[in-house]
Amino acid sequence: MEKAKVYFTKDISPKGLVKAYRALGVELKGRIGVKISTGEMGGHNYLKPELIGKLVDRIEGTIVECCTAYGGSRQEKQKHWDTIEAHGFKPRFNVDILDEFGEFDIPVYHGKHLTFDRIGEHCKCYDSMLVLSHFKGHMMGGFGGTLKNVSIGFASTSGKLNIHSARAECKDQEWVWSHLPKQDDFLESMADACKAVMAYYGSRNMVYINVANRLSVDCDCDSNPEEPKMGDIGIFASTDPVAIDQACYDAVMNSDDPGKGALIERMQSRHAIHTVETAEEHGLGVREYELICLD
């Protein structure tokens, strides 16, 4: 199977982001969503408006995300808008909370666990997506990058509960968080959800950029994340969602940064690579890649 192309630059800047996007040779069409995490109130590692602004403006994109399923500042819609404004995304950009006014189900064909994925109603409003992810650790998934941003990120609050429970249709958050499935079942369910979203938009209408900076072991959904132990790596871009996360994982594993141990432990203790393995099994991309340096 042919290797995927993953483009890389050490230049973590507005100019570097545009350079990484242009290297893909893809011009997204129609109304374009830019799927990011605007970060939990109190957190500070999310991708900042001043970093992403030049690229978002270039493609005339709308910042999109969904509400959370764990309480905090982004579950209730008005608090979510307050967080978006406090973190500088509004009024700097057009912003859309995809599940603010509803949700709908899309099918998962031949999934490991899920038969459907529940996503925000406003996903119907977009023709293509730039999935712009902050690569870092994650308490439950081991790491968060493209695949996490697509799976958990597009899911509505109840959709997130379905993924975390590995198919139990339950809107009772307390029940879900106290009846979590086996870890691999959760990771496979994330890959299932990715399969549904990517089929919905079509592979030619989605591209992926991971920014590997502020490499905390904790996600941007944490309001008090641990400070990073290792330094920034750079920006990765690809049309292959599997290869880009594999490349970021490898960059951490193979880094000569002495502080990498904490993030490696977080990833390995949660078997994080299994989401990537399952996504490849689903045919969403390949783990073999050619890293093309842009510097």
Side-chain angles (χ1 to χ4, degrees), residues 38-230:
T38 54
E40 195 68 17
M41 190 76 83
H44 50 271
N45 292 332
Y46 57 88
L47 300 180
K48 303 299 192 296
E50 55 267 29
L51 173 62
I52 69 173
K54 186 174 182 180
L55 176 56
V56 176
D57 292 345
R58 183 187 188 279
I59 65 175
E60 299 181 351
T62 297
I63 300 295
V64 300
E65 70 165 341
C66 283
C67 293
T68 63
Y70 54 80
S73 71
R74 291 182 299 144
Q75 179 173 312
E76 192 275 318
K77 296 173 181 62
Q78 186 53 57
K79 289 182 179 179
H80 196 164
W81 279 118
D82 292 343
T83 303
I84 288 168
E85 185 166 6
H87 287 177
F89 294 96
K90 183 185 177 186
R92 172 64 178 81
F93 305 106
N94 292 323
V95 183
D96 188 0
I97 298 177
L98 296 172
D99 61 338
E100 182 175 12
F101 300 110
E103 58 193 9
F104 69 108
D105 296 348
I106 55 176
V108 178
Y109 295 110
H110 308 295
K112 294 279 188 179
H113 304 278
L114 303 183
T115 58
F116 70 90
D117 184 28
R118 183 162 292 153
I119 63 178
E121 179 73 21
H122 282 182
C123 287
K124 297 175 182 177
C125 299
Y126 299 90
D127 304 295
S128 54
M129 284 285 171
L130 166 60
V131 180
L132 181 53
S133 309
H134 175 212
F135 186 87
K136 69 289 179 188
H138 191 275
M139 176 62 73
M140 300 187 75
F143 71 77
T146 284
L147 296 173
K148 190 261 184 184
N149 197 5
V150 173
S151 59
I152 300 294
F154 282 92
S156 64
T157 295
S158 63
K160 289 174 169 64
L161 294 175
N162 287 343
I163 297 168
H164 276 286
S165 59
R167 115 179 131 184
E169 169 137 27
C170 178
K171 296 185 179 181
D172 184 334
Q173 294 179 44
E174 291 187 10
W175 186 92
V176 170
W177 299 129
S178 61
H179 293 80
L180 293 175
K182 294 178 182 178
Q183 177 68 3
D184 279 3
D185 290 355
F186 162 57
L187 301 175
E188 290 164 0
S189 294
M190 284 205 292
D192 287 351
C194 285
K195 187 176 187 181
V197 173
M198 292 171 187
Y200 179 77
Y201 283 111
S203 60
R204 288 181 292 183
N205 299 315
M206 299 183 77
V207 297
Y208 312 96
I209 296 178
N210 284 355
V211 181
N213 72 338
R214 298 291 302 169
L215 290 159
S216 171
V217 298
D218 294 320
C219 181
D220 299 339
C221 55
D222 193 321
S223 62
N224 187 30
E226 182 176 309
E227 283 297 297
K229 298 293 194 299
M230 67 180 298

Side-chain angles (χ1 to χ4, degrees), residues 215 217 226 229-230 258-267:
L215 290 159
V217 298
E226 182 176 309
K229 298 293 194 299
M230 67 180 298
K260 69 180 183 179
L263 183 52
I264 289 176
E265 190 281 331
R266 175 59 55 90
M267 296 192 302

